[in-house]
Amino acid sequence: MATVSLEVNGRAVTAEVDPRTLLVDLLRKQLRLTGTHVGCDTSQCGACVVHVDGRSVKSCTMLAVQAEGARVTTIEGLAPDGRLHPVQAAFRECHGLQCGYCTPGMIMTAVALLQEHPEPTEAQVREHLEGNICRCTGYQNIVRAILSAAQELRALPKAS
Amino acid sequence: MYEFEYVRPQTVATAVEQGGAGQYLAGGMTLLPTLKLRLAQPGRLVDLNALPELQGIRVDGNVVRIGAMTRHADVARSAELRRAAPVLAELAGGIGDPHVRNRGTIGGSVANNDPAADYPAAVLGLGATVVTSAREIAGDDFFTGMFSTALAAGELIRRIDFPVPKRAAYAKFPNPASRYAMAGVLVAETAGGIRVAVTGAGPCVFRVPEFEAALTRRFAPEALDGLEIPSDGLNQDLHGSPEYRAALVTVMAQRAVAHAAARG
């Protein structure tokens, strides 16, 4: 067993893990943060995307021990006080989800995109979703939701 | 996954010491899926992610030095690189998807030598030098076959030195699902002449002397009209036949030439 210490959604966490444990299993099974989903488990679908030190990664393709000292944000961390993040709100408003399985990964991917490119074109949004698969094929409204959230976020006063 | 011992060395010297009896873990974008499928059983994983000296991009006059643990996303967004050797930033920006680019590394890609990976085309096409824990290996001698390289057991890539080309571009036809290259061609005008390197089409990255000769006479897409590499030995899978890939190689080479020529 190995000990891993990291920050998850702003909270310091220390856990005992087998070195083979995937980051997504640490999050879901040990920390009970089940908002992050496992879709394909083969690094293709993006349902398990979380942020590690501010960057989107597939948490099924990273060992939990590799997150030592890292700052991890999951879908739960986007709405710490129960108020939806603007990207979450836009997904609801634009009907950007059908079965909802891919949604946490889609939203974490969108948040990372908008942090880097606050004014993406539709083509940029579609290209950025390369690693996220929606098996309901609801891409049209996902893209609409992300563009709408981009507008919303730009209108917000800067936090700092 | 089979059981393994996990170590995260803090110095390159320790990593090399531990690497002899183990498997290096760089970005893990190929290795972790391989372990999950139990296609490999390393006794020890030597994680290279705590070695800042293996990370970073430095432009030294006419040489671009990229640390082995530099992520594709960092190569893609490097302003310095976009000025000195935009071909590298473009190539890195087209690998996999954003999440893969946030983890995957140049050293991992080159050491793995997947037949359809993008970076081998840059190392061979730009005539780069692979700097390891033991020696310097010329790009021309590095790739020895499908998934195999000149690296000895335990030898660790520290960085890759790319001579800045006069002009260069990379064009690939990605597999629509995996984004791996079905054919990717890097064309470069270097101090040593024109170089054309092809990935994705065969079992291992290779150069095309006939294309290089034609482009030396005239650096224009039309110079390759009517030229096609033999399809013998090219890859065959459900996405394309060897003949289709041979045709793609010419088209991608022409696109790369057009793009490089437009750069002046």
Side-chain angles (χ1 to χ4, degrees):
Chain A
M1 295 297 275
T3 305
V4 57
S5 297
L6 64 160
E7 189 188 300
V8 180
N9 299 334
R11 195 163 58 90
V13 168
T14 297
E16 289 290 311
V17 293
D18 183 305
R20 290 175 288 181
T21 308
L22 300 169
L23 176 58
V24 70
D25 290 328
L26 169 66
L27 295 172
R28 285 179 56 87
K29 294 181 181 166
Q30 283 177 253
L31 304 180
R32 312 298 295 169
L33 293 169
T34 53
T36 302
H37 292 169
V38 178
C40 67
D41 199 23
T42 54
S43 330
Q44 298 176 58
C45 78
C48 66
V49 167
V50 301
H51 296 180
V52 175
D53 291 329
R55 289 181 164 205
S56 63
V57 307
K58 292 173 183 166
S59 60
C60 83
T61 313
M62 182 171 164
L63 299 172
V65 284
Q66 291 188 281
E68 172 68 33
R71 193 164 40 82
V72 175
T73 307
T74 69
I75 188 80
E76 288 91 345
L78 288 189
D81 56 3
R83 268 215 329 271
L84 293 184
H85 182 280
V87 176
Q88 291 175 305
F91 267 67
R92 187 171 69 176
E93 192 60 35
C94 299
H95 192 46
L97 60 155
Q98 292 174 47
C99 85
Y101 204 86
C102 72
T103 309
M106 287 288 180
I107 289 178
M108 296 312 286
T109 301
V111 170
L113 167 69
L114 297 180
Q115 276 165 359
E116 202 177 347
H117 298 287
E119 289 184 61
T121 61
E122 183 184 331
Q124 281 173 323
V125 171
R126 289 186 183 276
E127 197 183 317
H128 202 82
L129 295 179
E130 196 85 78
N132 294 77
I133 296 173
C134 166
R135 248 355 0 157
C136 307
T137 71
Y139 297 101
Q140 209 64 17
N141 284 346
I142 291 171
V143 172
R144 213 157 61 84
I146 295 171
L147 290 169
S148 155
Q151 227 168 7
E152 192 73 22
L153 282 163
R154 286 201 301 277
L156 285 181
K158 290 273 171 289
S160 56
Chain B
M1 281 184 244
Y2 292 112
E3 218 169 338
F4 53 76
E5 177 200 2
Y6 171 85
V7 293
R8 188 172 47 237
Q10 304 294 312
T11 67
V12 170
T14 318
V16 173
E17 225 167 84
Q18 296 174 327
Q23 166 77 50
Y24 293 121
L25 171 61
M29 294 298 97
T30 299
L31 180 57
L32 291 175
T34 305
L35 294 179
K36 285 163 77 174
L37 291 170
R38 293 194 165 183
L39 294 174
Q41 191 174 9
R44 176 194 285 165
L45 279 195
V46 182
D47 188 350
L48 304 175
N49 285 276
L51 300 171
E53 60 182 293
L54 295 185
Q55 292 173 24
I57 299 163
R58 211 170 73 226
V59 179
D60 270 350
N62 279 329
V63 183
V64 172
R65 303 180 202 278
I66 305 183
M69 285 299 293
T70 309
R71 318 276 173 190
H72 307 326
D74 292 320
V75 173
R77 68 163 75 94
S78 160
E80 207 180 5
L81 210 49
R82 286 200 172 266
R83 278 191 299 275
V87 61
L88 286 169
E90 273 168 16
L91 177 143
I95 296 173
D97 60 49
H99 322 304
V100 167
R101 294 196 287 274
N102 280 338
R103 294 293 298 168
T105 66
I106 186 170
S109 167
V110 165
N112 188 47
N113 192 20
D114 188 296
D118 297 295
Y119 266 127
V123 171
L124 186 63
L126 297 173
T129 302
V130 181
V131 181
T132 78
S133 49
R135 59 192 164 138
E136 299 196 352
I137 308 173
D140 281 312
D141 305 325
F142 186 81
F143 303 103
T144 53
M146 189 158 69
F147 291 109
S148 63
T149 68
L151 289 171
E155 191 173 2
L156 176 68
I157 301 179
R158 300 180 72 105
R159 64 167 201 271
I160 301 177
D161 291 350
F162 295 91
V164 172
K166 288 181 190 154
R167 52 186 172 174
Y170 176 68
K172 80 162 159 175
F173 191 91
N175 174 312
S178 73
R179 315 312 287 173
Y180 270 103
M182 286 179 60
V185 182
L186 190 137
V187 175
E189 185 181 351
T190 71
I194 304 282
R195 295 172 72 101
V196 176
V198 176
T199 189
C204 180
V205 63
F206 59 91
R207 286 175 67 183
V208 187
E210 306 88 305
F211 286 13
E212 292 173 356
L215 292 170
T216 303
R217 287 191 292 275
R218 184 176 169 220
F219 196 81
E222 301 76 44
L224 302 178
D225 280 347
L227 292 183
E228 199 168 288
I229 60 168
S231 61
D232 302 344
L234 294 189
N235 296 335
Q236 166 150 28
D237 56 29
L238 77 167
H239 305 291
S241 63
E243 293 75 21
Y244 180 61
R245 282 192 163 82
L248 275 182
V249 168
T250 302
V251 176
M252 291 304 118
Q254 289 179 312
R255 285 186 191 171
V257 172
H259 192 177
R263 279 201 169 116

